[in-house]
Amino acid sequence: MVHYEVVSVAELGGALVREGKSLTSKQISRLSLGAVVAEEERAGERLRFKKVSGSGPDRGWVSAKLLTKCDAPKAATGPRQVYKGTSLLAQAESKVLEKGPAAVLQDASKDGPGLIFQSIAHLAEGQAKEAAEAAIDAQTSLKGKKDGEASAALALGLAKLLGGEAKEALGHVTTALALFKEVGDKQMEASALTTAANARLALNEVNVAEAAVKDALRIFREIGDGDGEEAAQLTFSDVCVAKDGQAKGMAAVARERAAHCKNKSDKLGEGQALQQLAQQLLTGSAEAQEEVAKLSQEALELFRQAGDKK
């Protein structure tokens, strides 16, 4: 059975799931970034799935463009640790993933927190204009409450970025970043850095984008937010590809991942990263082929040490 991993942008709610293969069929909810599904049926770019792991609905139809093939996950040894954010924006994202954007829009109150929930739900639906309007109203309602102002500013920045207004988005995200730092919310500081990196990338400020997303990765890893780390990793991949091209960029991503896994003594993760790096170098020069052989051997030894017999 073919398995896929969700690789859509986490800030926009994950991969949209519908009851049927038609794009006009009822929306169910969203699969979270990193969720793994098994293919049950394929119709062009639409895929009917059964969820194997991660957050989201158990079954439904999703766009195959938001997925990438992966190995079947091993049986979990215990419940997955999920980082619980306390900001209004983190709560809104969690609720949208749990109930779906339509239900959140229906249930959301008209006060400041409710407006944040509305903005994130609109973002998940791809409605930039409505998301921005709700975020602006939230800014007014939450004025004087720094944590609320920060969530509203970041929501507005996300909306502007979705609408193609990267320069304006960056201004709002910069405001949010300063406020999240002031109130000590490390998760949202990293989220703001990731969004800033995306805005910088849209403005072709690749080096600044790289610095921002590396800071985001560091913070997500420090606090143990796996979902946030995966979202930042996607942005880091985009930055590396923009900087060095597809092959060299993805090789840089694999090297960074391998170094991180080695630093925390994650032999399985390091082996997987080295294996990915070897795959990126396969079509290179004769010298590169020698490195491929060496990396493959190192990966095999790490898999053995980790007890992975596959």
Side-chain angles (χ1 to χ4, degrees):
M1 185 175 286
V2 183
H3 290 78
Y4 297 87
E5 181 178 355
V6 178
V7 293
S8 61
V9 181
E11 287 86 351
L12 301 185
L16 179 63
V17 177
R18 295 181 183 273
E19 283 187 347
K21 62 184 175 184
S22 171
L23 293 174
T24 60
S25 64
K26 182 180 178 182
Q27 296 178 8
I28 301 175
S29 183
R30 291 183 180 253
L31 287 165
S32 65
L33 183 77
V36 175
V37 300
E39 178 181 337
E40 292 191 322
E41 182 182 346
R42 184 74 177 256
E45 291 298 330
R46 304 293 293 167
L47 183 140
R48 181 164 63 88
F49 69 86
K50 178 181 179 182
K51 188 181 71 176
V52 177
S53 66
S55 299
D58 292 330
R59 279 185 165 85
W61 286 83
V62 68
S63 170
K65 293 180 179 180
L66 304 178
L67 312 173
T68 187
K69 283 186 179 180
C70 67
D71 294 330
K74 293 179 172 59
T77 56
R80 182 173 183 262
Q81 294 296 314
V82 177
Y83 189 91
K84 295 291 186 182
T86 58
S87 69
L88 288 174
L89 196 147
Q91 293 175 46
E93 288 181 337
S94 178
K95 189 62 68 177
V96 168
L97 281 172
E98 177 189 350
K99 290 190 171 184
V104 170
L105 286 169
Q106 183 177 347
D107 297 342
S109 60
K110 303 298 182 183
D111 59 4
L115 289 165
I116 296 292
F117 278 55
Q118 289 179 42
S119 181
I120 298 305
H122 282 306
L123 281 171
E125 295 280 33
Q127 299 166 342
K129 181 173 180 288
E130 292 84 351
E133 289 171 350
I136 290 170
D137 288 343
Q139 284 183 313
T140 301
S141 180
L142 294 166
K143 191 170 183 178
K145 300 177 181 178
K146 289 183 180 179
D147 53 347
E149 287 182 0
S151 286
L154 184 51
L156 183 54
L158 286 164
K160 292 296 183 181
L161 188 58
L162 180 63
E165 301 175 70
K167 187 172 183 179
E168 190 171 349
L170 185 59
H172 296 300
V173 173
T174 301
T175 298
L177 178 59
L179 288 168
F180 281 128
K181 283 183 177 180
E182 191 172 344
V183 299
D185 190 327
K186 302 297 288 184
Q187 182 199 36
M188 298 314 298
E189 178 185 342
S191 292
L193 282 166
T194 302
T195 308
N198 281 313
R200 295 284 189 185
L201 190 57
L203 295 168
N204 294 317
E205 299 174 3
V206 179
N207 290 333
V208 186
E210 182 180 15
V213 75
K214 282 183 175 179
D215 278 347
L217 275 171
R218 174 183 54 78
I219 295 171
F220 280 133
R221 288 166 176 169
E222 285 176 356
I223 65 176
D225 184 350
D227 289 338
E229 180 184 348
E230 288 174 354
Q233 193 74 47
L234 286 174
T235 298
F236 181 59
S237 298
D238 290 342
V239 169
C240 289
V241 169
K243 183 178 181 181
D244 298 318
Q246 181 69 30
K248 288 185 178 180
M250 293 310 296
V253 171
R255 286 192 177 94
E256 192 279 337
R257 183 68 183 172
H260 168 65
C261 290
K262 184 175 183 178
N263 188 53
K264 66 174 188 175
S265 300
D266 177 2
K267 294 185 182 300
L268 180 58
E270 184 184 357
Q272 290 170 339
L274 290 178
Q275 192 175 57
Q276 180 185 357
L277 177 57
Q279 290 171 349
Q280 293 297 327
L281 297 174
L282 271 176
T283 58
S285 61
E287 186 176 305
Q289 297 307 306
E290 292 180 7
E291 186 177 358
V292 167
K294 180 182 177 183
L295 289 168
S296 298
Q297 192 62 39
E298 289 179 10
L300 180 59
E301 180 57 31
L302 286 165
F303 289 145
R304 287 172 177 163
Q305 292 177 23
D308 189 333
K309 298 179 182 180
K310 185 174 178 181

